[in-house]
Amino acid sequence: MELAELGECLSSVSCIVTQSAAGLTIGMLLFLVASGLTLIFGVLGLVNFAHGSLYMIGAYLALTVHGATQSFALAVVAGTLGTALFGLFFERFLLSRIYGRDVLMQLLVCYAVILILDDLVKIIWGADFRSMGVPEEFRRPPFIIGGGIVPYFYAILFAITAAIAVLLAWGMGRTRFGRIVRAAAINPGMVGALGINTTVIYAAVFAIGAGLAGAAGALSAPIRSVVAGAGVSILIESFIVTVIGGMGSIGGALAAALILGFTRSFGSIGFPLFVEGAMFAMMALVLLLRPSGLGGKRPS
Amino acid sequence: MSKTNATTVGRRALLGGTAALAGFPNIGFTQPRQPIKVGVPTILSGRVAQLGLSSRNAMQIEVDRFNASGGLDGRPIELVVRDSRGVPAEAARLAREMISGEGCEFLLDAEPSSGGFAIHEVVRETGTVTLHVNSETSSLTADPRQRFWNAFRVARQGIHDSIAGGAYAAEIAKARNLRRWMTVSPDYAYGRDTTAEFVEYVKNFHSEIQITGETWPRLFQADYTENITRLSQGRPQAVYSCLWAGDLVTFVEQASIFGLFQQSQFFAVNMADYTTLQQVRNLPAGVHSGNRYLRNFPDVPENQEFAAEYNRRFNTFPTNWSWQAATSVRLLGTALRQAGGTDPRAVAGKLKGMTIDSPFGVGGKLTMRAEDQTLVDYAIGWGVTIAQDPYIQRMTPADWAVIYRLEAEWKRSKGWT
């Protein structure tokens, strides 16, 4: 533990700025993946263990489109929509057959999909790691705020992810589609009885969740290795977010993702050897004290 | 029994001779000789598949040369390459199967240290002549308890790199007054050991250096932001890293946008390998790196030709593992010819102390040192990066006399001599 260093950091504007910017960016990227995971669980009741692979697909699609067009905007759009489309087929032809089955069956099917997708990626893009690199238009000196460093590209990432979060909150809270989705999460039978096609709702929700994971993969491709199996580590963190935030709660996922982002950034100063441990400890604490999570509804 | 065998052989010889005289030369004299099977357990899938692919490619180039020049009295070498997927237990199982089930007479172990040590124990038992091609962990050959007659290392060694890197970094530190250092290396045995050895030797050469902080990302970590911000906050004058491959690429991409390379001098022992250099989109100028494999270091025509042929055949450039793999085949082929057969004791005897011509050696020579059965005199140097090919310039070759002296002291300190 290096808590004295953490104390020094917290009394320094430059350190607070640098670590906060890092924490926000890490947290928001994590939120994109975890919000899709929690949305799918909340509505479909499905624990999508292959969610990390959707993140990986988004990254590879973005890499390919960026290589062909040199446009980061097109790469992100292709990564998002391409993964959403893939998710749609994935849900319709495979996952829809295991709704309501026990978790073990869901785990087996999803694990098989992880292995198949990893091998497909190797066949199509090769087994070696790939790198997109920070696009030319974002290669600018970092902002210096109060002596702290905020990379230009991180500011862009934060702006895009925050915009997506706002759009998601608005879509789920203020639109007719959002109301139907929330109703389907609570009582799908009643929604169906009202003449609404729940199959379409389920497919759309899964596609949105997949698209969010694809967007996270595409947005982070410039700063992370693009490699087969890249979805595994992000999946573990997403599950931690989902458990802390509450299964099915998007607001809870946002809060939990930011908590984890800040734990990573400030933890690297104060307890660098216990950052991972701290995340799991928080999860354990939430499970003990509030099993439904920060934003989850307590059982009545 | 012996009489029966003699009769059989005599009859075969008689039939062969008759067939030849009757106009069937393919049956009589030029029928292909039995190949010498050489097993190659390695990693061909997963995040470090490049390790096995680039090893296998380079071995094939050298095997083709050996076979084209007549093999061992007409017997060609045949590589039997299998994927361990990076699982040490699987590497050991493959090694056993190659020896007992597939008829491999020799092994070229192209595993990293984790699998290499597992295979080491297998061949200690079977007595198969084995050349470890990619294991850089010093104790594999430096520790006398690990040493036995049939195992050799044809890879660079951690202690050699640490001494060479320490000497180079200390000179730069003295010239630029770099006293406050931090480290960022992967959190597993290789990262911890290599960093500790580098720190020991850089301080040995320049006692005023202080390590003011360290950060240990996980192996294959997706995001290095937290590690980079820690380095930024520590404001070191220099940073050392033994991150490698995709991890190093990701770290460099992220560190670039934080302006870390403007703030601190960066010493990355594993940067100068084409798999890394060509993947970093924003290769910062002025990063200090040890050579892994460079086609212009040593800058001799044979090295350039090796890289050109590799590139022509596989559409990419060799790696550190490639030159080691090519060297292993050349050593084995030379030993086979000198021994005049495949008798393991005779081949091992020839390998001990063998010196061969090689474009990867200092002065065009490489030696399999007899005392600890490990490769020495390979080209080690450090230079600085530039954004374009050849990517590294101002290479400073390491002094092998210094390496030998400090290596001997290090072994004494470990109680290994």
Side-chain angles (χ1 to χ4, degrees), chain B residues 286-307:
Chain B
V287 169
H288 303 270
S289 176
N291 71 310
R292 297 291 286 174
Y293 173 78
L294 293 169
R295 62 179 185 266
N296 60 344
F297 186 77
D299 198 3
V300 295
E302 295 83 359
N303 192 16
Q304 299 276 4
E305 283 162 19
F306 171 74

Side-chain angles (χ1 to χ4, degrees), chain A residues 2 5 12 14-15 18-19 22 26 29 122 127-134 139-140 142 147 149 151-154 222-225 227 233 237 264-265 268-269 272-273 275-276, chain B residues 44-47 49-50 53 187 192 212 214-216 218 220-223 225-227 229-230 232-233 235 245-247 249-250 253-254 257-259 263 275-276 279-282:
Chain A
E2 294 163 40
E5 281 193 42
S12 147
S14 69
C15 187
T18 304
Q19 301 306 121
I26 295 170
L29 282 171
K122 281 181 216 159
D128 207 3
F129 66 91
R130 306 282 294 274
S131 170
M132 180 195 286
V134 177
R139 287 184 208 166
R140 298 187 188 182
I149 301 168
Y152 182 78
F153 186 62
Y154 275 39
I223 52 168
R224 293 178 181 171
S225 278
V227 65
S233 60
E237 291 191 5
R264 277 205 168 283
S265 62
S268 71
I269 303 282
L273 299 179
V275 172
E276 305 281 329
Chain B
L44 296 170
S45 59
R47 195 153 169 169
Q50 196 64 32
L53 296 171
D187 191 11
R192 294 269 176 181
T212 57
E214 53 192 36
T215 177
W216 301 96
R218 292 190 320 275
F220 305 149
Q221 186 167 303
D223 193 324
T225 303
E226 71 212 50
N227 310 99
T229 54
R230 173 158 176 75
S232 293
Q233 288 308 316
R235 304 198 185 282
D247 289 3
V249 171
T250 305
E253 292 286 1
Q254 290 192 326
I257 60 177
F258 273 88
Q263 177 188 306
T275 45
T276 307
Q279 284 290 340
V280 179
R281 300 290 177 217
N282 308 305

Side-chain angles (χ1 to χ4, degrees), chain B residues 11-305:
Chain B
R11 188 184 299 146
R12 280 183 183 162
L14 183 65
L15 284 171
T18 310
L21 288 170
F24 299 99
N26 285 341
I27 298 172
F29 293 113
T30 58
Q31 192 170 8
R33 304 279 306 274
Q34 188 80 6
I36 304 161
K37 286 192 174 181
V38 177
V40 185
T42 189
I43 302 175
L44 296 170
S45 59
R47 195 153 169 169
V48 289
Q50 196 64 32
L51 177 93
L53 296 171
S54 64
S55 301
R56 182 196 64 190
N57 293 346
M59 282 179 191
Q60 198 58 56
I61 288 176
E62 281 296 324
V63 164
D64 290 349
R65 280 186 193 156
F66 178 81
N67 293 345
S69 62
L72 174 64
D73 297 329
R75 289 184 69 189
I77 287 179
E78 179 188 323
L79 295 177
V80 179
V81 187
R82 298 284 181 264
D83 181 13
S84 70
R85 307 189 313 278
V87 181
E90 177 66 2
R93 190 193 69 76
L94 285 174
R96 282 189 191 282
E97 191 176 289
M98 286 169 169
I99 295 163
S100 59
E102 302 198 60
C104 292
E105 295 178 78
F106 302 94
L107 288 188
L108 298 179
D109 154 36
E111 292 283 329
S113 293
S114 51
F117 274 92
I119 291 171
H120 200 61
E121 291 312 310
V122 172
V123 300
R124 185 198 292 265
E125 194 182 299
T126 63
T128 309
V129 173
T130 298
L131 280 68
H132 297 294
V133 179
N134 291 330
S135 177
E136 300 179 24
T137 304
S138 301
S139 60
L140 182 68
T141 49
D143 182 351
R145 289 166 300 185
Q146 296 285 355
R147 208 176 301 144
F148 45 89
W149 67 272
N150 55 310
F152 300 80
R153 183 217 301 269
V154 195
R156 62 193 319 126
Q157 204 177 140
I159 188 67
H160 296 166
D161 270 338
S162 296
I163 294 168
Y168 171 85
E171 286 305 309
I172 302 288
K174 283 176 191 168
R176 302 186 189 184
N177 197 26
L178 308 175
R179 296 183 184 186
R180 290 195 324 278
W181 286 60
M182 289 181 78
T183 67
V184 50
S185 291
D187 191 11
Y188 74 113
Y190 165 77
R192 294 269 176 181
D193 291 353
T194 305
T195 301
E197 286 169 4
F198 173 83
V199 167
E200 181 184 341
Y201 285 105
V202 77
K203 284 183 171 178
N204 180 301
F205 290 110
H206 185 32
S207 57
E208 292 176 19
I209 285 176
Q210 287 184 319
I211 304 298
T212 57
E214 53 192 36
T215 177
W216 301 96
R218 292 190 320 275
L219 186 64
F220 305 149
Q221 186 167 303
D223 193 324
Y224 292 87
T225 303
E226 71 212 50
N227 310 99
I228 294 163
T229 54
R230 173 158 176 75
L231 293 173
S232 293
Q233 288 308 316
R235 304 198 185 282
Q237 294 170 298
V239 175
Y240 168 81
S241 176
C242 66
L243 288 166
W244 54 284
D247 289 3
L248 181 57
V249 171
T250 305
F251 176 84
V252 169
E253 292 286 1
Q254 290 192 326
S256 290
I257 60 177
F258 273 88
L260 183 71
F261 303 121
Q262 279 79 49
Q263 177 188 306
S264 311
Q265 293 285 308
F266 187 51
F267 294 75
V269 64
N270 295 324
M271 177 70 90
D273 211 355
Y274 291 111
T275 45
T276 307
L277 292 167
Q278 292 182 327
Q279 284 290 340
V280 179
R281 300 290 177 217
N282 308 305
L283 182 64
V287 169
H288 303 270
S289 176
N291 71 310
R292 297 291 286 174
Y293 173 78
L294 293 169
R295 62 179 185 266
N296 60 344
F297 186 77
D299 198 3
V300 295
E302 295 83 359
N303 192 16
Q304 299 276 4
E305 283 162 19

Side-chain angles (χ1 to χ4, degrees), chain A residues 150-213:
Chain A
V150 181
Y152 182 78
F153 186 62
Y154 275 39
I156 299 289
L157 279 183
F158 177 72
I160 296 172
T161 49
I164 293 173
V166 169
L167 195 66
L168 188 64
W170 175 78
M172 287 296 144
R174 299 296 177 94
T175 65
R176 181 169 183 272
F177 175 77
R179 282 192 288 275
I180 293 171
V181 167
R182 282 184 287 136
I186 297 164
N187 193 337
M190 183 60 78
V191 172
L194 291 171
I196 295 169
N197 188 340
T198 50
T199 304
V200 173
I201 297 295
Y202 284 181
V205 166
F206 196 91
I208 291 169
L212 288 168

Side-chain angles (χ1 to χ4, degrees), chain A residues 240 243-245 259-260 274 276-294 298:
Chain A
I240 298 174
V243 170
I244 294 176
I259 288 171
L260 254 59
F274 193 62
E276 305 281 329
M279 285 167 29
F280 283 102
M282 274 193 286
M283 185 175 78
L285 207 62
V286 167
L287 283 173
L288 278 174
L289 301 178
R290 192 182 164 91
S292 56
L294 300 179
R298 291 173 189 241

